[in-house]
Amino acid sequence: MPVTILPLGDHAITIIFGDTIDEDINQQALLFFNCLQQREITGVKDIIPAYTSVTVVYDIMMIQKQDNTVSAFEFMRHEIEKALQNVEQNKTEMEKIVRIPVCYDVSLGIDLKEMAEQKNLSIEEIIQLHSSATYRVYMIGFMPGFPYMGKVNAKIATPRKNSPRKNVAAGSVGIADFQTGIYPFNSPGGWNIVGQTPMMMFNTHYIEPCLLKPGDKVNFVPISLQEFYQLKL
C-alpha cells in the first residue's frame, strides 16, 4: 500500500502506511516517527505514532513566519515528503524485550471464567495461551502509558464488552479482539480482564514515565497471588 498524506483539521497532518494490524506496517510508521523526531522541522508541536500511521501537529503561525509563500499544510507536506525519502538513513534499533509479571488468579482475572465458558477452554489453557506469546507494543493510547499490544492467539481473541465497566483496577491486563493491553490507572474500560500486574505502567517521577514504548516486545510472566501482593508493596 502506498504512503498516503492527509490533512487532519487545520493544524495537523497524518501519514498513513497501511490499514491493518501488521508488524511490518507498524515498523514503517515507527521508523518514520523516529526520523521526524531527529529532523526538528519548524513548527512541529507534537508527533504521534499509531498502529499504521504518524500524525504531526504543527503551529501555523510559526510556519507562516518562516515561509508565507505557501500554506502551512503545503509547507509541512513538503517537509514530510523530504523526510520520507530519508527514513532509512535515520534507522536505529528501537526494540527491547520487557518481562512483565502477571497474576492470573480469578480474583484479579475477573473475566477468566466467562471467557473459559465462551471459548470452551479451561482457565489454565487461557493463561497458557496468553502468557506464552511475545507481544509487540504497537502504540500507546487511550490514557498515558496504556500499551496496545498484539496479536493474541486466535483461540482467546475476544471482542470488547458491550457495556464497559465503570472502574477497572490499575494494572489490569485485558484482551480486546486480537489486542492485549494493560490499564495504567483505575478507569472505565471494556476489555476482558485476564489478570493483573503489580508493575506501574506510568510514573511521572521517571525520566521516561511510560514503562513501555511503541516497538517494544513484551513477555508476560505468570506469578502467584502471594507474589503479586508482595510485589505490590
Side-chain angles (χ1 to χ4, degrees), residues 210-224:
C210 291
L211 177 65
L212 301 173
K213 64 180 181 180
D216 287 347
K217 296 293 182 67
V218 170
N219 292 137
F220 291 124
V221 181
I223 59 173
S224 68

Side-chain angles (χ1 to χ4, degrees), residues 132-194:
S132 62
T134 296
Y135 298 101
R136 177 181 179 84
V137 180
Y138 282 89
M139 60 176 283
I140 303 296
F142 174 46
M143 65 180 74
F146 187 105
Y148 285 80
M149 298 177 283
K151 296 180 179 178
V152 302
N153 189 292
K155 292 181 179 179
I156 58 173
T158 308
R160 287 180 176 85
K161 292 183 171 296
N162 292 327
S163 299
R165 291 185 173 91
K166 293 182 179 179
N167 187 57
V168 176
S172 291
V173 180
I175 292 174
D177 296 311
F178 286 91
Q179 305 169 111
T180 188
I182 307 171
Y183 288 77
F185 309 105
N186 294 341
S187 74
W191 291 38
N192 302 276
I193 305 304
V194 296

Side-chain angles (χ1 to χ4, degrees), residues 195-212:
Q196 192 175 140
T197 178
M199 296 183 73
M200 291 184 67
M201 304 306 297
F202 186 83
N203 190 332
T204 56
H205 296 295
Y206 295 160
I207 295 174
E208 294 189 7
C210 291
L211 177 65
L212 301 173

